[in-house]
Amino acid sequence: MLKLEHLSKVYRGGKKAVDDLNIEIEKGEFVAFIGTSGSGKTTALRMINRMIEPTKGKITINGEDVTNKNPVTLRRSIGYVIQQIGLMPHMTIRDNITLVPKLLKWDKDKKNKAAEELIELVNLPESYLDMYPAQLSGGQQQRIGVLRALAANQDLILMDEPFGALDPITRDTLQDLMKDLQQRLGKTVVFVTHDMDEAIKLADRICIMHDGQVVQYDTPDNILSNPANQFVKEFIGSHRLVQEKPSAKIVDDVMITPITISLEKSLDDAIRTMVQKRVDTLFVVDGQNKLKGFLSVENITSERHRTSSVADAMEKDVFYVMNGTRLQDSVRRILRRNLKNIPVVDANHRLVGLITRAHIVDIVYDTIWGDEQIENLPEEI
Ligand code: ADP
Ligand code: MG
């Protein structure tokens, strides 16, 4: 179904990330790319849907050279999942499952049918489709996340460490579900992982990479019984592989400067600041810039009749993340609690930045569309 021939990628600056990759993947096969960090797994995966253009070599899908296809059409015909991100809290389960079909402009009946078929596959009642994520247990929500990856009915699905950020028990459950669905639906999956246990559990064949080259491509059994060389032996032997952090970005990389107001100010001051800075939320800090609470337009409207002080009117129950937190984790928190934004504090609880919902939208888009040019995106989501 998928054939990679003499596939190479040399990045600007001369880094040979993938070096003469030759493999074939059958229809309905589950193939895991595994290797140390920097061995070229992500680059190889992203060349398949042309998110990265190969320097050399050929990729054919069902005999068709992908370079002859329109990259956007190609990308939409291939599923791509980077990691299991949270569901959108303000959308029903139905809308969450059919996020990608909606971008693909499927009609309503087709979307509904897909959602109904999928929810049945994970043994959840159809009535759940009209519920919101918060009404489901954490485990049920994760299952819906996996369904979303399958909803657009693409035959080929590329997954780059999708479960890497999950705790071991959840990961194990979702691996089982993924494998089960892949087999039942006959999907072809190319799956990047760092974890040999995961590769052995899921894959029909494992492609072990090192320095951009394939060291061994074979079934788990054959690799375990006949490791091609010392490198593979060590790789199998190193039981506790360090889990790669799929998104190494931390909140500090993207946070912006929040608009603040100090504790002893009045609500009139707050309104003036909001108008002047064109924001609907102010973060309340003390003399040492320590985060004390926040004040939203809604707070002011509802509290103004009884107080004129910021300290009195502010919402003290404020969710925050520490600097150095992985962006992915703060995304989960924002999605789970349906927050507009989330302040970042340092070890002394001083306010140092703000992560906004716009950042999250970026991450969601990146998950679904990768590096696709923005002008190619459909107008509505
Ligand atoms: P893996 O997914 O196995 O960790 P990658 O495919 O991400 O590996 O990277 C392979 C090699 O290519 C690494 O040495 C990495 O630093 C380098 N690399 C990845 N992306 C780029 C880029 N955009 N520009 C230059 N070098 C890159
Ligand atoms: Mg990678």
Side-chain angles (χ1 to χ4, degrees), residues 11-12 15-18 35-44 160-161 192 194 244:
Y11 281 113
R12 229 171 289 155
K15 173 74 204 175
K16 205 165 201 178
V18 171
T36 46
S37 186
S39 54
K41 307 180 294 293
T42 296
T43 304
D160 197 345
E161 312 219 14
V192 167
H194 229 74
E244 182 178 346

Side-chain angles (χ1 to χ4, degrees), residues 43 56 62 73-74 94 97 103 125 151 178 195 198 258 292 299 321 333 338-339 354 371:
T43 304
K56 244 181 23 206
N62 295 326
T73 317
L74 174 76
R94 184 190 310 273
I97 293 178
L103 288 165
M178 184 63 215
D195 176 351
E198 183 168 68
K292 292 294 172 183
N299 285 134
V321 290
R333 196 174 283 205
N338 202 7
L339 302 172
L354 184 71
D371 294 339

Side-chain angles (χ1 to χ4, degrees), residues 114-124 143 147 150 177 180-182 184-185:
E116 282 154 22
E117 283 172 3
L118 284 167
I119 197 129
E120 206 188 308
L121 283 176
V122 291
N123 299 316
L124 291 175
R143 276 145 77 191
L147 288 187
L150 303 169
L177 175 64
D180 177 45
L181 293 176
Q182 178 261 337
R184 280 203 274 167
L185 302 173

Side-chain angles (χ1 to χ4, degrees), residues 258-320:
I259 308 298
T260 61
I261 186 149
S262 62
L263 213 47
E264 62 284 346
K265 291 282 167 114
S266 71
L267 289 184
D268 285 344
D269 294 325
I271 293 166
R272 263 194 294 278
T273 308
M274 283 177 169
V275 171
Q276 201 185 0
K277 303 280 187 187
R278 304 254 148 222
V279 293
D280 61 3
T281 309
L282 297 174
F283 291 89
V284 183
V285 292
D286 69 11
Q288 278 131 32
N289 201 36
K290 290 191 182 175
L291 180 63
K292 292 294 172 183
F294 72 91
L295 200 58
S296 65
V297 173
E298 293 92 312
N299 285 134
I300 296 180
T301 321
S302 67
E303 302 295 326
R304 213 174 170 194
H305 66 279
R306 74 167 186 90
T307 179
S308 63
S309 126
V310 164
D312 238 11
M314 72 179 183
E315 180 61 65
K316 296 193 186 72
D317 200 4
V318 46
F319 291 101
Y320 58 86

Side-chain angles (χ1 to χ4, degrees), residues 163-177:
F163 307 138
L166 300 173
D167 66 86
I169 294 169
T170 311
R171 191 186 312 146
D172 202 54
T173 312
L174 293 187
Q175 286 167 346
D176 290 339
L177 175 64

Side-chain angles (χ1 to χ4, degrees), residues 204-222:
D204 299 311
R205 278 195 286 177
I206 299 175
C207 178
I208 301 180
M209 292 186 65
H210 182 54
D211 277 345
Q213 295 183 332
V214 176
V215 184
Q216 191 166 12
Y217 181 44
D218 211 332
T219 61
D221 280 352
N222 286 344

